[in-house]
Amino acid sequence: MKKLSIVPILALMLFSFQAKSQSKEVTNQVVEVASKKHNAITVKFKITGITCAGCSNAIYNALKEVDGVLEHSVEYPGDIAVIEFDGSKTSIKALKLIIEKKGFKAEVIKG
């Protein structure tokens, strides 16, 4: 009878250990995300020349490849790009050039 009570206890101990392990992984991920956002800058561009969803998709994909871009969106219709980036890896000027290389005009929206 004693042997049967040991099995559930071992199972509970194993489950508890796994939960603690997963909790540490989540904490590490949160700290990593927070440190990435430490140098985060957000810029909003008004883009001229977007005529379709394909245009906004081309800009979105080009920005996705830029080292330092943390989050971004390109709105069509509306012709607005909102980009959150790491200021130690890229700049507003570099992001503007990426958009302009795709054939569009980009102007920073103040405020």
Side-chain angles (χ1 to χ4, degrees), residues 43-51 55-56 58-59 63 74-76 78-83 92-109:
V43 63
K44 189 184 280 190
F45 288 106
K46 174 67 176 169
I47 303 174
T48 306
I50 296 179
T51 58
C55 296
S56 64
I59 296 167
L63 292 169
V74 181
E75 298 174 16
Y76 174 78
D79 308 341
I80 302 288
V82 180
I83 308 164
I92 293 173
K93 185 177 179 179
L95 295 170
K96 182 178 177 181
L97 286 173
I98 294 292
I99 295 168
E100 289 176 347
K101 282 184 180 179
K102 286 292 175 185
F104 305 94
K105 184 177 179 189
E107 294 298 324
V108 175
I109 298 174

Side-chain angles (χ1 to χ4, degrees), residues 38-92:
H38 180 67
N39 292 328
I41 300 168
T42 302
V43 63
K44 189 184 280 190
F45 288 106
K46 174 67 176 169
I47 303 174
T48 306
I50 296 179
T51 58
C52 65
C55 296
S56 64
N57 212 13
I59 296 167
Y60 181 89
N61 289 331
L63 292 169
K64 182 169 59 173
E65 300 299 318
V66 177
D67 185 32
V69 172
L70 304 173
E71 293 183 31
H72 66 292
S73 66
V74 181
E75 298 174 16
Y76 174 78
D79 308 341
I80 302 288
V82 180
I83 308 164
E84 183 178 353
F85 64 96
D86 182 339
S88 66
K89 293 184 178 182
T90 191
S91 66
I92 293 173

